């Protein structure tokens, strides 16, 4: 390798590097050498040492990392002020969101107490406020009212033959349903976090989350209208429940002239004892629990990442999943319902100077004091006031509708996802709307990967450089092949079929020529046999006449079928494989597949690549691959891609190396083509 300097430019000269030469020069290790196998990773995971044990404990309990470094002088007062502010917000929000979950308000206070204390030990975000949240509360409410409807707790009044709802029994069962759903959802989050499934939240894109929370807010508004108007309509579950419920509330409010003011009621002093959830309910709420786990984590990690980027620290996605799961699991044993951070409380915690998770401890103390001593002060609070608090807090959610204008200008695909998510969640239940939205998002994501996945980078005389903007795998392998045919201008299938037909005709000519040669040999044998016995003039003339006729037939057949010599057949085959197949075979002699964007390749794509090599070789066009990562080369080897005809000399370190090889291999004036060479950084 030589290096020359001309002014401010540096010219580096080296040999053209194909994959085989690159491995020899760099002595590059294989992918398996640098990446341990699954068995080795399992052995390493169970192998214990003091440093490894320390790292494991510190990562599982982040409080052990930041608490010893906690400075009371620097962080004590800001965390205290921030915690008191958030704690005051917890009180009305906790009771109001308990109504969304169709639970007694006191359980909203429990939910604002226990989960933040658990997150203090296991969470990695310093600014989010764990507790009740609108969307999760309405999702829990849909479960509790589905499994514990008012109709299942109607009792007869023997005095005046009327019916009424046994509110006490209904609320107790609804608490059991909410606790079972919360515990199961928390266990799902813990398991996903332990198996490093923190990336699952990335499948809920920002447009999808915004649209879903906006639609859920509409469900929350309808659920609170009955408290605002003081009516008790029959709850309707299932598709179109939002429209039916809104219509029923409107009718009841119009017909009911005697409004009743419902109040919070008794708030028992003291803390509830832990109670195991009813595991028999798990099979009935597993779908709702999974939806709560995914939505809660998506909101939690999104908020945590936002504040982490703003303040310059890192949030561990897997540990956040475990922390949120433990908060839900432990909280469920204390009759709490599903929790996640609230945007409004988190903003208050951050804007009032909160520095660490200790702000959550201060807010929990405020809630604890309220439960123990100040509970009776809230017993006469009208539920309509709590409903108005919910409606006011939903204002920010409905402002997300402005995303439509922004998405219309930036991304039509995200706009379609936003609208489909909104409509599906409004028309169906929250769980069905979420499932349909995620399914549609995945379909749109796959479609976006398939559409316009390949582009032609550049053409050099005789060489086509084909660049794919996406990884080639089973879903787009056929599209990759079709795009290559289209961009190169070579209809491979038609050309190969035509060549096969011409070759078949030529083989038939060879067989006919062989038969003619065989007949000629027989004729000569007959002539020799009769030569000694042609004593009769008549017989001799007959033989001569017969042989003359055969000669004339032979001459005519040769004129019709063409010469059978090897040289003529070779020229005909060359004319079939090149000249007769169109002008493109003369214009393009090499195609370079730029695979620098591919980070993996599956068996279907390997088979497609092998077919590309074979098909284009049929029309005398060479195929080369460039820019393959080490992992891709390893997968090609495991897939038996390389053979005697396809070697590692067909793979090049860069597109530039491949172009130089093609120019030298096929013959081109180096100086006349140098201006056509692409530049790659």
């Amino acid at each position: 390798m030589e290096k020359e300097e001309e002014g401010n430019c540096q010219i580096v000269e080296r040999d053209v590097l194909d994959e085989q030469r690159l491995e020899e020069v760099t002595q590059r290790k294989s992918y398996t050498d640098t990446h341990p196998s699954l068995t080795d990773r399992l052995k390493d995971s169970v192998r214990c040492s003091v440093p490894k044990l320390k790292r494991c404990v510190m990562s599982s309990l982040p409080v052990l990392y930041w608490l010893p470094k906690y400075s009371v002088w620097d962080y004590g007062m800001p965390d205290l002020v921030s915690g008191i502010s958030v704690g005051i917000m917890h009180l009305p929000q906790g009771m109001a969101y308990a109504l969304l979950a169709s639970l007694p308000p006191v359980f909203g206070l429990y939910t604002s107490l226990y989960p933040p204390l658990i997150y203090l030990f296991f969470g990695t975000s310093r600014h989010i406020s764990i507790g009740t949240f609108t969307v999760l509360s309405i999702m829990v409410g849909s479960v509790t009212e589905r499994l514990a409807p008012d109709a299942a707790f109607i009792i007869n009044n023997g005095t005046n033959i009327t019916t009424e709802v046994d509110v006490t029994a209904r609320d107790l069962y609804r608490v059991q349903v909410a606790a079972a759903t919360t515990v199961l959802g928390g266990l799902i989050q813990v398991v996903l976090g332990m198996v490093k499934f923190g990336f699952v939240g990335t499948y809920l894109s920002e447009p999808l989350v915004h649209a879903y929370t906006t639609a859920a807010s509409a469900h929350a508004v309808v659920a609170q209208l009955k408290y605002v108007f003081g009516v008790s309509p029959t709850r309707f579950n299932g598709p179109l429940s939002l429209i039916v419920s809104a219509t029923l509330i409107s009718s009841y409010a119009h017909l009911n002239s005697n409004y009743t003011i419902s109040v919070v009621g008794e708030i028992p002093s003291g803390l509830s004892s832990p109670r195991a959830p009813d595991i028999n309910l798990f099979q009935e709420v597993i779908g709702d629990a999974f939806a709560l786990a995914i939505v809660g984590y998506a909101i939690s990690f999104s908020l945590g990442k936002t504040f982490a980027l703003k303040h310059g620290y890192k949030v561990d996605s897997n540990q956040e999943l475990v922390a949120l799961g433990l908060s839900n699991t432990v909280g469920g044993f204390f009759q709490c319902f599903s929790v996640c951070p609230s945007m409004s409380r988190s903003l208050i915690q951050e804007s009032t100077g909160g520095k660490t998770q200790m702000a959550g401890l201060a807010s929990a103390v405020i809630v604890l004091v309220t439960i123990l001593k100040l509970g009776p002060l809230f017993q006469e609070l009208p539920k309509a006031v709590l409903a108005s608090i919910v409606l006011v807090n939903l204002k920010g959610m409905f402002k997300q509708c402005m995303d439509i204008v922004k998405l219309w200008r930036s991304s039509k695909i995200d706009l379609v996802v936003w609208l489909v998510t909104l409509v599906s969640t409004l028309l169906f239940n929250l769980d069905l709307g979420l499932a349909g939205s995620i399914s549609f998002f995945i379909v749109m994501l796959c479609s976006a990967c398939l559409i316009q996945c390949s582009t032609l980078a550049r053409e050099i005389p005789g060489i086509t450089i084909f660049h794919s903007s996406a990884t080639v795998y089973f879903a787009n392998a056929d599209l990759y092949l079709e795009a290559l045919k289209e961009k190169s201008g070579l209809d491979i299938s038609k050309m190969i079929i035509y060549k096969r037909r011409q070759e078949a005709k030529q083989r038939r000519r060879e067989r006919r020529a062989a038969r003619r040669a065989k007949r000629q040999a027989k004729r000569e044998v007959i002539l020799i046999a009769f030569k000694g016995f042609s004593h009769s003039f008549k017989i001799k003339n007959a033989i001569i006449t017969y042989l003359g006729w055969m000669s004339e037939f032979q001459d005519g057949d040769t004129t019709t079928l063409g010469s059978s010599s090897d040289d003529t057949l070779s020229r005909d085959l060359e004319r079939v494989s090149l000249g007769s197949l169109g002008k493109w075979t003369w214009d393009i002699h090499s195609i370079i597949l730029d695979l620098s964007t591919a980070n993996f390749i599956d068996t279907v794509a390997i088979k497609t690549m092998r077919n590309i090599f074979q098909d284009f070789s049929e029309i005398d066009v060479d195929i080369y691959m460039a820019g393959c990562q080490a992992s891709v080369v390893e997968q090609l080897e495991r897939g038996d891609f390389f053979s005697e005809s396809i070697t590692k000399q067909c793979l090049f370190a860069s597109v530039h190396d491949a172009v130089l090889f093609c120019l030298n291999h096929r013959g081109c004036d180096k100086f006349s083509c140098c201006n056509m060479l692409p530049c790659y950084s």
Side-chain angles (χ1 to χ4, degrees):
M1 180 181 293
E2 297 182 359
K3 180 176 177 181
E4 300 178 2
E5 294 187 4
E6 296 182 2
N8 294 328
C9 299
Q10 293 184 347
I11 302 175
V12 179
E13 294 184 0
R14 61 169 174 81
D15 296 333
V16 173
L17 292 178
D18 55 34
E19 184 64 28
Q20 181 174 343
R21 178 60 178 163
L22 183 63
E23 293 179 356
E24 295 175 356
V25 172
T26 62
Q27 297 181 354
R28 186 171 64 185
K29 296 182 179 180
S30 63
Y31 184 81
T32 54
D33 294 335
T34 57
H35 294 74
S37 62
L38 178 60
T39 304
D40 294 335
R41 290 199 298 268
L42 290 176
K43 291 180 180 179
D44 183 68
S45 63
V46 298
R47 189 179 294 115
C48 185
S49 62
V50 175
K52 184 177 180 180
L53 180 62
K54 182 179 179 181
R55 290 195 304 267
C56 182
V57 173
M58 296 288 284
S59 61
S60 300
L61 281 172
V63 67
L64 299 179
Y65 173 77
W66 61 265
L67 187 59
K69 302 178 181 179
Y70 188 82
S71 174
V72 178
W73 181 262
D74 295 331
Y75 302 147
M77 186 56 66
D79 285 341
L80 179 62
V81 174
S82 175
I84 293 175
S85 302
V86 173
I88 294 174
M89 291 187 65
H90 267 303
L91 302 179
Q93 284 189 356
M95 292 187 290
Y97 291 158
L99 297 182
L100 276 179
S102 299
L103 300 173
V106 66
F107 292 95
L109 296 179
Y110 295 154
T111 306
S112 301
L113 171 63
Y114 295 106
L117 292 177
I118 303 301
Y119 186 84
L120 170 69
F121 293 94
F122 298 95
T124 59
S125 177
R126 306 172 189 171
H127 296 90
I128 61 175
S129 174
I130 297 293
T132 56
F133 185 62
T134 311
V135 177
L136 297 191
S137 299
I138 193 65
M139 292 175 71
V140 172
S142 66
V143 181
T144 56
E145 296 200 5
R146 186 184 76 243
L147 298 182
D150 291 341
F153 298 91
I154 294 179
I155 57 176
N156 294 322
N157 191 334
T159 57
N160 52 8
I161 315 179
T162 58
T163 59
E164 61 182 12
V165 177
D166 188 350
V167 177
T168 303
R170 181 202 63 186
D171 289 346
L172 287 177
Y173 190 68
R174 286 182 176 179
V175 169
Q176 293 180 12
V177 172
T181 306
T182 301
V183 170
L184 184 57
L187 292 176
I188 293 174
Q189 290 174 329
V190 171
V191 172
L192 292 178
M194 293 180 66
V195 298
K196 310 300 181 182
F197 243 64
F199 67 89
V200 71
T202 60
Y203 287 95
L204 296 178
S205 65
E206 182 176 310
L208 189 149
V209 173
H210 284 188
Y212 183 77
T213 53
T214 302
S217 300
H219 283 273
V221 169
V222 174
Q224 295 304 294
L225 290 179
K226 62 182 180 181
Y227 299 111
V228 174
F229 294 109
V231 297
S232 299
T234 303
R235 175 76 177 187
F236 179 78
N237 293 307
L240 303 179
S241 60
L242 180 69
I243 299 175
V244 175
S245 299
T247 304
L248 290 176
I249 292 174
S250 177
S251 301
Y252 274 75
H254 178 71
L255 297 176
N256 186 17
S257 58
N258 298 319
Y259 295 102
T260 59
I261 300 177
S262 179
V263 296
V264 170
E266 182 183 0
I267 297 180
S269 300
L271 301 176
S272 61
S273 58
R275 188 177 306 169
D278 187 359
I279 60 176
N280 295 323
L281 293 171
F282 283 179
Q283 59 181 357
E284 300 184 48
V285 300
I286 185 170
D288 303 280
F290 187 80
L292 285 165
I294 298 302
V295 174
Y297 168 68
I299 296 172
S300 177
F301 184 66
S302 176
L303 284 177
K305 185 170 61 175
T306 300
F307 289 115
L309 291 175
K310 181 177 180 180
H311 294 275
Y313 62 92
K314 184 180 179 181
V315 173
D316 187 345
S317 60
N318 295 309
Q319 183 60 30
E320 280 297 296
L321 197 51
V322 172
L324 192 62
L326 290 175
S327 299
N328 281 313
T329 302
V330 176
F333 280 88
F334 290 91
Q335 291 81 53
C336 302
F337 53 92
S338 297
V339 297
C340 76
S342 167
M343 172 65 80
S344 58
R345 292 195 307 270
S346 299
L347 288 175
I348 291 297
Q349 181 169 325
E350 189 257 351
S351 61
T352 53
K355 302 295 183 182
T356 67
Q357 293 92 322
M358 291 297 290
L361 177 61
S363 65
V365 171
I366 298 297
V367 177
L368 178 62
V369 172
T370 302
I371 295 175
L372 295 178
K373 299 297 181 182
L374 304 180
L377 299 178
F378 296 95
Q379 292 181 359
E380 300 300 324
L381 181 67
K383 291 184 179 180
V385 176
L386 298 179
S388 63
I389 293 174
V390 173
L391 297 179
V392 171
N393 288 329
L394 293 176
K395 180 178 65 175
M397 294 290 183
F398 288 112
K399 285 184 177 181
Q400 295 176 150
C401 293
M402 297 302 297
D403 291 348
I404 297 178
V405 179
K406 181 176 65 175
L407 294 177
W408 173 263
R409 297 172 180 172
S410 60
S411 175
K412 299 297 190 298
I413 294 179
D414 287 340
L415 176 61
V416 172
V417 171
W418 200 99
L419 294 175
V420 170
T421 303
L422 179 72
V423 173
S424 62
T425 308
L426 289 176
L427 296 181
F428 304 101
N429 286 338
L430 294 176
D431 51 352
L432 295 178
L434 178 64
S437 302
I438 294 178
S439 301
F440 180 78
F441 174 72
I442 293 176
V443 171
M444 291 294 294
L445 186 64
C446 295
S447 301
C449 292
L450 296 179
I451 299 174
Q452 300 294 334
C453 69
S454 301
T455 57
L456 187 64
R458 188 166 180 179
E459 291 186 6
I460 300 173
I463 303 174
T464 296
I465 304 172
F466 187 72
H467 174 79
S468 173
S469 59
T471 296
V472 186
Y473 62 110
F474 71 94
N476 63 358
D478 291 337
L479 294 179
Y480 182 89
L481 178 58
E482 294 299 325
L484 176 60
K485 294 177 181 179
E486 178 185 353
K487 297 295 185 179
S488 63
L490 301 176
D491 192 346
I492 303 298
S493 301
K494 184 176 180 180
M495 297 163 73
I496 292 178
I497 290 174
Y498 183 75
K499 180 184 177 182
R500 294 283 188 270
R501 291 176 179 175
Q502 297 299 319
E503 290 176 343
K505 291 180 180 179
Q506 197 153 309
R507 285 193 294 269
R508 287 196 296 271
R509 292 177 183 176
E510 293 176 353
R511 289 194 295 269
R512 294 171 69 175
R515 288 196 297 269
R516 288 196 301 270
K518 189 175 181 181
R519 288 198 298 268
Q520 178 67 21
K522 288 183 179 180
R523 187 188 65 175
E524 293 178 355
V525 171
I526 294 173
L527 181 62
I528 294 173
F530 279 92
K531 201 170 187 181
F533 301 96
S534 58
H535 55 85
S536 174
F537 179 78
K538 183 177 180 180
I539 295 176
K540 183 177 180 180
N541 288 338
I543 293 174
I544 293 175
T545 302
Y546 169 74
L547 295 177
W549 177 79
M550 288 293 294
S551 178
E552 291 177 0
F553 176 81
Q554 178 67 31
D555 293 339
D557 188 52
T558 302
T559 304
T560 304
L561 298 178
S563 175
S564 61
S565 65
D566 295 338
D567 294 339
T568 304
L569 288 177
S570 300
R571 287 194 298 270
D572 289 343
L573 182 58
E574 182 180 0
R575 184 171 62 253
V576 169
S577 61
L578 295 178
S580 300
L581 297 183
K583 64 178 182 179
W584 298 284
T585 52
W586 298 108
D587 294 340
I588 299 176
H589 57 71
S590 301
I591 295 178
I592 301 173
L593 305 179
D594 183 6
L595 299 179
S596 57
T597 59
N599 53 10
F600 76 95
I601 186 169
D602 59 7
T603 56
V604 177
I606 290 175
K607 183 178 179 180
T608 300
M609 291 295 176
R610 189 184 297 114
N611 292 336
I612 290 175
F613 273 81
Q614 295 174 354
D615 291 346
F616 278 89
S617 65
E618 293 283 345
I619 59 171
D620 200 25
V621 174
D622 296 332
I623 300 294
Y624 302 98
M625 301 165 68
C628 294
Q629 300 181 22
S631 59
V632 175
V633 177
E634 181 83 9
Q635 290 163 356
L636 291 174
E637 292 176 342
R638 291 200 301 264
D640 296 330
F641 175 75
F642 299 106
S643 61
E644 294 182 358
S645 58
I646 306 176
T647 65
K648 287 188 177 181
Q649 293 179 348
C650 298
L651 274 66
F652 290 89
S654 66
V655 174
H656 195 75
D657 288 295
V659 171
L660 293 177
F661 176 82
C662 293
L663 296 178
N664 295 330
H665 179 64
R666 283 288 189 165
C668 178
D669 186 356
K670 177 179 179 181
F671 297 99
S672 63
C673 295
C674 62
N675 292 330
M676 300 296 295
L677 294 180
C679 294
Y680 294 91
S681 57

